[in-house]
Amino acid sequence: MILAMVDRTDRAQGEFKQDRRSHMRRIGAGWLLGNPVPRYVIVAVAATGLVIGALALLASVLVKDWSQRDIELRSRLVFRSIRDQVARAMIAKPEIDLVPVFQRIAQDERILALGFCTAQAQLRYATKEFPKSVTCVSVKRSKSAAFATTVASGERIHVSSFPITAGKSTGHLLVLHDLAFIDARAAEARLYTLLTLIGVTAGLSLLATVIVLALMRAWSRSIRGALIEMQHGSASESPHHADFPISREIHTALTELRMERRFANGIHVEWSPKTLHRLLVDELPHAQVIVVSNREPYIHNRAGSAITLQIPASGLVAALEPVMRACGGTWVAHGSGSADRDTVDATDRLPVPPADPAYSLRRVWLSEKEQNGYYYGFANEGLWPLCHIAFVRPIFREEDWAQYRKVNQRFAEVIVQEASCDDPVVLVQDYHFALLPRMIRDRLPKATIITFWHIPWPNAETFGICPWREEIIDGLLGSTILGFHTQFHCNNFLEAADRFIESRIDRELASVTFRGQETLIRPYPISIEWPPAALAEQAPVRECRDAVRQRFALPADIRIAVGIERFDYTKGVLDRIRAVDDLLTSHPEWIGRFVFIQAAAPTRSKLGTYSALEAEAEQLVAKVNARHSRDGFQPVRLVIRHHEPDEVFELFRASDMCIVSSLHDGMNLVSKEFVAARDDEHGVLILSSFAGASRELSEALIVNPYDTHGMAEAFLQALRMPPAEQRDRMRLMRELVRERNVYRWAAQMLLDAARLRQRQRITSSKAAPAGRIVPLQPVPATKERKMA
Ligand code: F6P
């Protein structure tokens, strides 16, 4: 699938190049290729031409106007310079000839001619060039200076007329200018203005084109870079983003798009170690992953002088170990084995799996007192029965609580030591560490803390029994995301937060905001690896069956039912033995033809309820066997010891049915392992409706473990179920477990975490407080809750 996404990225890149080429054609290269010039280019060029023409015209008008005024000024100067001379001549010697004087002045290249008109409109003096068409009659002669333009012999002439009074005589001095030079000057002005404007426009256009091309190159380089990052999943913080704000925007948008796309496509991804690893590289580049749980994945025990390696019977380990093998990182856990200290290095670490190391196990040592208070006491005598409705009274002791707090604090310190950056992704596991998320948050405010609660969360009334209910909710709300197996358990937690702490609950986003920090509450149904590693070494079903028959001395035609789990009172072991009793009582024809093998791993045996359960189970088995044995054949076999995964899988494959009758269970991975083990598509799963797995494996025979006869009827139905129906049911369940495997479980959490980290990165630039998730979408109406 991820490869398919890469293909799409390649295609997207190809399409992008294609688009870019066609865009380049549109914006100009089209001229070269003979494509029509876009209309906006034509309009822009025409508008620029019009503006330039108008400016040139304006320039010529201004020049003409200015020249005209210049002529008038010059005419006045001429008039003033000879006015007195002309007046004296008019009085003293009226016959005096002023033509030489006029002729001298008319030498000025701009002046065409000078003349003098008497009061009787006779042209008394005139220079040689004085045009005949200009007469004293045709010229305006007023008491003040007058100016006019006339045309003589096809030429435009400017005539200035100035009155002169000498004694009783009056007359007018005429100064004529040829206007041809003004027209020449205006034409020149128009031309130079045009050339200047065209030059400036061309220069500016060139500069703008260079800038636009440079910007486009930078953008396209940025987009191409982001696409290549999408393809290769490289770091999101490339240095070239920093120097170019728009490329940062593009990069952010593409990253968001990629995240959205993957979220949308996530349901189709074939989740495997490879795709999970790819997800980490793509979505959480360079993130340090730290897992913390009480139970360690590998226990070293001393057996005489030898050291043995044990994989504990734990759903948590079964689920998380393959995830860690795929992701790498560090797993912090209590070192509980008798030879654990002998197998670590000086820093309490060891590489695991021992045969093919993929991650680091960091062991934490606890004293007996700490174990008694934290693990046996508060976790398993308090929280365990509190969260499971199995009608065992929870016990809460002050001293257990003190140890629980102390051990949580110890693990918090180890996590801080292990963190090589200030924002690791910390996966906190289970009810042993309810206080740890807050403690980590206080020390590493930027950490992404995903807490998964592997057991049910009870309703608010039940949870309210816990004397430290507020502290526990507070501790868990240090998480970025808090996960449960089912929506039902999420709802119960929201109810508890609503009731016991002063917080803001957003039911639409399924989040709780407390102490200024938002925690998402999400269902993540846990699962197993697919295909399970333990299946690889398994013999064919028939051989497994023969091996089990031999081990338990069973006849050839025997029908085998199995139950495999930790010996825990929540698993309903007694109830299923009672159901076997009921079956054989009401259907004695199955006596001697049906066997129930219960493999039970000792667990928490220090606790009274657990040792009492073992004793009670042994007595019950003895009673049922006594009642239904025939010819020495006992219908119930109880095997109390640890079983390694390959033994468990052999039992699953040898059986006709598997019984999971939990009185209450977060998920129950035994049911999924049974389905995974049956690659022959045979066998029937009988599953308690009180196990989270019943929400997914609906093709199982769903039973109420408190209804003994109902469960016995389910056994009978399984015994009679035709192979074709078994195959149809098994096929559907196998398909579901294959698709919803543990890699998908981890991927969903990591994808959500990646998305939040992405959002945090965006919002932190807007100075959001550390660790706070600011929803990008509008926050729907919420309800402020105050605890009474
Ligand atoms: O069911 C809760 C859980 O923590 C599981 O995840 C695990 O399988 C089991 O309890 C193990 O219990 P313990 O570690 O006490 O043996």
Side-chain angles (χ1 to χ4, degrees):
M1 182 62 210
I2 286 193
L3 292 179
M5 288 194 292
V6 170
D7 280 355
R8 279 203 301 279
T9 311
D10 284 343
R11 267 206 305 281
Q13 238 181 315
E15 281 160 15
F16 164 70
K17 282 182 187 161
Q18 194 71 32
D19 276 3
R20 190 163 162 266
R21 275 197 291 272
S22 61
H23 183 64
M24 291 305 285
R25 269 203 300 278
R26 277 201 302 280
I27 64 169
W31 289 349
L32 295 174
L33 300 172
N35 287 344
V37 179
R39 188 177 297 168
Y40 65 84
V41 174
I42 296 171
V43 170
V45 170
T48 310
L50 274 178
V51 170
I52 291 175
L55 287 174
L57 209 63
L58 182 69
S60 85
V61 169
L62 287 175
V63 166
K64 271 188 181 169
D65 187 52
W66 166 71
S67 300
Q68 187 109 0
R69 276 186 280 117
D70 185 38
I71 285 173
E72 286 170 13
L73 192 70
R74 281 165 166 274
S75 301
R76 277 183 206 281
L77 284 174
V78 169
F79 164 65
R80 281 185 198 132
S81 66
I82 61 170
R83 176 179 52 192
D84 296 342
Q85 210 175 344
V86 174
R88 269 199 309 278
M90 282 166 63
I91 297 167
K93 300 177 187 159
E95 68 286 359
I96 198 166
D97 186 7
L98 288 175
V99 171
V101 178
F102 282 13
Q103 205 65 51
R104 201 176 59 246
I105 292 170
Q107 280 173 358
D108 184 311
E109 61 172 324
R110 298 270 163 79
I111 296 173
L112 175 66
L114 252 71
F116 179 78
C117 291
T118 64
Q120 293 74 37
Q122 283 178 345
L123 185 65
R124 181 180 294 172
Y125 313 115
T127 55
K128 273 194 280 195
E129 292 80 11
F130 202 95
K132 296 241 173 345
S133 53
V134 180
T135 63
C136 292
V137 177
S138 63
V139 171
K140 188 180 177 195
R141 287 164 293 125
S142 59
K143 286 184 178 164
S144 57
F147 306 97
T149 300
T150 186
V151 177
S153 316
E155 286 180 351
R156 292 193 323 116
I157 293 170
H158 182 271
V159 181
S160 305
S161 161
F162 301 99
I164 297 179
T165 306
K168 286 185 183 157
S169 312
T170 58
H172 282 82
L173 179 73
L174 304 184
V175 183
L176 274 57
H177 280 86
D178 185 353
L179 286 182
F181 86 94
I182 293 187
D183 292 338
R185 190 188 271 178
E188 252 174 48
R190 208 167 39 237
L191 178 69
Y192 288 133
T193 307
L194 266 175
L195 290 178
T196 309
L197 287 176
I198 288 171
V200 168
T201 308
L204 286 177
S205 305
L206 199 69
L207 187 66
T209 308
V210 168
I211 291 172
V212 166
L213 286 178
L215 282 172
M216 279 176 56
R217 259 189 86 184
W219 290 349
S220 66
R221 211 182 319 131
S222 171
I223 292 169
R224 223 175 308 138
L227 283 172
I228 288 165
E229 278 182 20
M230 276 177 75
Q231 182 180 357
H232 298 293
S234 56
S236 56
E237 296 300 337
S238 300
H240 66 266
H241 300 141
D243 54 2
F244 199 57
I246 292 176
S247 76
R248 267 203 304 276
E249 295 281 320
I250 292 167
H251 185 265
T252 307
L254 278 172
T255 308
E256 282 276 289
L257 176 72
R258 179 181 55 168
M259 296 280 282
E260 292 298 332
R261 220 169 51 175
R262 291 192 177 185
F263 272 117
N265 292 339
I267 51 167
H268 303 302
V269 173
E270 290 278 340
W271 289 108
S272 66
K274 209 166 152 199
T275 49
L276 183 64
H277 182 77
R278 185 66 193 258
L279 176 146
L280 261 186
V281 173
D282 278 1
E283 310 299 345
L284 291 161
H286 311 307
Q288 186 195 8
V289 177
I290 304 175
V291 166
V292 55
S293 72
N294 171 72
R295 186 60 65 202
E296 58 181 337
Y298 295 94
I299 304 176
H300 286 100
N301 283 318
R302 192 156 289 287
S305 58
I307 290 179
T308 59
L309 181 69
Q310 183 191 336
I311 296 171
S314 158
L316 180 154
V317 168
L320 270 171
E321 212 280 330
V323 170
M324 283 303 278
R325 267 190 271 130
C327 298
T330 303
W331 187 329
V332 180
H334 169 215
S336 57
S338 52
D340 272 356
R341 283 180 195 265
D342 304 327
T343 45
V344 292
D345 64 13
T347 60
D348 298 330
R349 293 188 184 92
L350 77 155
V352 286
D356 182 18
Y359 63 96
S360 173
L361 172 60
R362 165 77 196 266
R363 285 176 172 150
V364 179
W365 315 116
L366 299 178
S367 69
E368 203 178 336
K369 189 174 171 199
E370 285 168 337
Q371 285 184 58
N372 287 340
Y374 141 82
Y375 174 75
Y376 288 109
F378 192 75
N380 286 319
E381 284 194 293
L383 289 178
W384 181 269
L386 178 80
C387 293
H388 289 91
I389 306 169
F391 307 103
V392 170
R393 185 191 161 119
I395 301 169
F396 293 108
R397 303 180 196 91
E398 274 294 337
E399 60 271 27
D400 290 349
W401 172 243
Q403 292 301 329
Y404 187 84
R405 275 202 330 252
K406 191 173 150 208
V407 171
N408 272 244
Q409 194 62 58
R410 171 95 54 80
F411 273 82
E413 275 150 27
V414 173
I415 301 292
V416 173
Q417 275 170 25
E418 290 294 326
S420 57
C421 56
D422 63 350
D423 63 346
V425 176
V426 187
L427 304 173
V428 178
Q429 306 301 313
D430 233 346
Y431 61 100
H432 310 92
F433 294 117
L435 304 181
L436 189 55
R438 171 73 56 211
M439 292 169 174
I440 299 172
R441 173 71 62 219
D442 289 346
R443 305 280 297 275
L444 296 168
K446 286 168 135 185
T448 301
I449 305 170
I450 307 173
T451 302
F452 194 78
W453 192 262
H454 288 257
I455 61 176
W457 187 277
N459 62 47
E461 279 83 5
T462 306
F463 185 73
I465 293 170
C466 178
W468 297 285
R469 60 200 183 188
E470 290 89 359
E471 287 88 336
I472 290 196
I473 296 172
D474 179 349
L476 288 170
L477 289 177
S479 315
T480 315
I481 303 175
L482 173 57
F484 296 93
H485 291 298
T486 66
Q487 185 61 52
F488 185 67
H489 298 151
C490 293
N491 296 346
N492 281 349
F493 179 84
L494 288 172
E495 282 306 320
D498 198 354
R499 190 175 295 192
F500 299 121
I501 58 164
E502 220 172 302
S503 60
R504 195 180 70 194
I505 314 281
D506 186 326
R507 291 189 190 274
E508 201 177 346
L509 287 178
S511 72
V512 182
T513 302
F514 182 58
R515 297 212 210 172
Q517 181 218 319
E518 188 176 33
T519 301
L520 300 185
I521 314 299
R522 292 279 183 276
Y524 301 107
I526 203 168
S527 194
I528 56 167
E529 62 177 327
W530 188 281
L535 192 59
E537 304 297 312
Q538 289 296 315
V541 165
R542 180 142 298 283
E543 287 175 30
C544 292
R545 203 176 159 77
D546 289 346
V548 169
R549 271 200 312 107
Q550 273 176 22
R551 198 178 319 139
F552 290 93
L554 304 172
D557 61 344
I558 195 80
R559 307 293 289 275
I560 302 171
V562 295
I564 305 175
E565 50 255 301
R566 288 181 308 109
F567 218 152
D568 196 294
Y569 55 82
T570 59
K571 303 296 178 188
V573 174
L574 299 179
D575 303 83
R576 72 185 69 152
I577 297 171
R578 285 189 202 109
V580 171
D581 185 23
D582 187 298
L583 170 77
L584 298 178
T585 305
S586 45
H587 293 277
E589 70 273 17
W590 286 101
I591 294 175
R593 295 169 55 211
F594 170 85
V595 69
F596 171 57
I597 301 171
Q598 175 67 55
T603 177
R604 308 169 193 169
S605 312
K606 254 191 180 185
L607 300 179
T609 36
Y610 286 82
S611 45
L613 174 71
E614 278 190 35
E616 200 180 337
E618 278 169 340
Q619 281 170 19
L620 182 62
V621 169
K623 223 189 279 176
V624 173
N625 280 341
R627 196 175 297 155
H628 302 293
S629 59
R630 183 177 293 172
D631 304 331
F633 177 82
Q634 298 192 326
V636 182
R637 312 293 170 93
L638 178 61
V639 190
I640 306 178
R641 70 168 171 84
H642 176 77
H643 288 70
E644 288 298 330
D646 53 335
E647 286 184 277
V648 171
F649 269 68
E650 187 182 56
L651 269 176
F652 283 145
R653 288 166 72 75
S655 67
D656 294 283
M657 68 183 85
C658 173
I659 297 137
V660 174
S661 56
S662 310
L663 303 179
H664 203 188
D665 221 333
M667 173 55 69
N668 191 288
L669 295 184
V670 168
S671 56
K672 294 189 175 180
E673 282 175 340
F674 172 67
V675 167
R678 298 314 297 257
D679 53 3
D680 63 331
E681 298 182 341
H682 278 83
V684 180
L685 175 63
I686 296 175
L687 179 58
S688 164
S689 61
F690 305 123
S694 67
R695 302 283 165 278
E696 295 181 285
L697 303 176
S698 39
E699 291 75 27
L701 299 182
I702 306 293
V703 295
N704 172 2
Y706 291 91
D707 174 6
T708 307
H709 186 64
M711 201 150 44
E713 288 294 308
F715 287 2
L716 195 63
Q717 189 185 343
L719 287 168
R720 290 174 176 167
M721 190 180 285
E725 186 181 344
Q726 290 186 31
R727 190 199 53 226
D728 290 348
R729 287 173 182 263
M730 189 56 85
R731 214 172 254 178
L732 284 172
M733 290 191 286
R734 284 176 62 78
E735 186 60 20
L736 184 130
V737 178
R738 186 181 68 78
E739 266 179 24
R740 299 191 188 179
N741 58 31
V742 76
Y743 304 108
R744 177 181 180 266
W745 171 75
Q748 283 184 323
M749 287 190 286
L750 293 175
L751 274 171
D752 284 352
R755 190 171 181 161
L756 291 175
R757 278 163 86 95
Q758 188 73 19
R759 287 180 175 193
Q760 263 171 346
R761 232 196 317 271
I762 296 167
T763 51
S764 63
S765 60
K766 292 172 188 154
R772 169 129 199 257
I773 304 156
V774 180
L776 293 183
Q777 67 266 59
V779 181
T782 54
K783 198 165 62 163
E784 277 288 341
R785 283 294 188 154
K786 300 263 185 302
M787 205 192 97

